[in-house]
Amino acid sequence: SWMRLARSLNDVAIISDRLSCANLVRWSPMGYPIRPHLAKSWEVSPDAREWTFHLRRGVRWSDGAPFTAGDIIYWWEDQLDFNGVVPTWMHVGGKPGEILKVDDFTVKFVFPEPYGAFLERLTQAT
């Protein structure tokens, strides 16, 4: 089945943003439900302030090194160039969240306020 058609540059950008990168989660071909990608599963706290993601084991970088929670933390703390500003997808209510390593294959996103739309935002976060 053909699920997407690109008729303009806008359509190409949407396909690129939604379907062309490796994220923790991604849109399914029909949009919902959002599906696991680099994460195998996730839980959200009842107040939607904490989102815990369990990474798939066996995912490897091109050099053969395993992809772990440490890579996400390294990217967050050392690779992103915030220039003092946290990306908008990590904000809720105008306040930034944080990413914590729980163990080698688990990360937790913690926000100061409920963030019910975080999963949708995460599908496109880079």
Side-chain angles (χ1 to χ4, degrees):
S1 295
W2 194 1
M3 301 297 187
R4 300 273 185 203
L5 174 67
R7 299 180 324 161
S8 71
L9 289 177
N10 250 1
D11 293 339
V12 172
I14 289 170
I15 291 170
S16 173
D17 288 346
R18 292 186 181 172
L19 302 172
S20 299
C21 54
N23 287 335
L24 293 176
V25 296
R26 70 183 321 160
W27 295 103
S28 68
M30 299 303 291
Y32 284 97
I34 292 174
R35 295 187 176 165
H37 195 230
L38 291 175
K40 67 178 180 177
S41 64
W42 64 88
E43 297 100 35
V44 59
S45 64
D47 65 0
R49 291 177 189 231
E50 295 185 0
W51 295 76
T52 305
F53 291 85
H54 305 279
L55 303 179
R56 289 190 302 139
R57 293 173 189 259
V59 175
R60 298 195 175 272
W61 291 100
S62 59
D63 66 358
F67 174 73
T68 68
D71 294 311
I72 293 172
I73 299 301
Y74 175 75
W75 166 79
W76 179 250
E77 293 177 351
D78 298 321
Q79 292 296 303
L80 283 182
D81 183 12
F82 298 141
N83 292 322
V85 179
V86 175
T88 58
W89 61 268
M90 277 295 292
H91 279 82
V92 64
K95 301 173 191 167
E98 61 182 329
I99 304 174
L100 307 171
K101 178 181 173 180
V102 176
D103 62 36
D104 284 345
F105 293 96
T106 309
V107 291
K108 184 179 287 193
F109 293 76
V110 180
F111 298 96
E113 296 181 15
Y115 195 174
F118 180 62
L119 202 58
E120 284 82 357
R121 292 297 306 268
L122 193 58
T123 63
Q124 299 176 47
T126 54

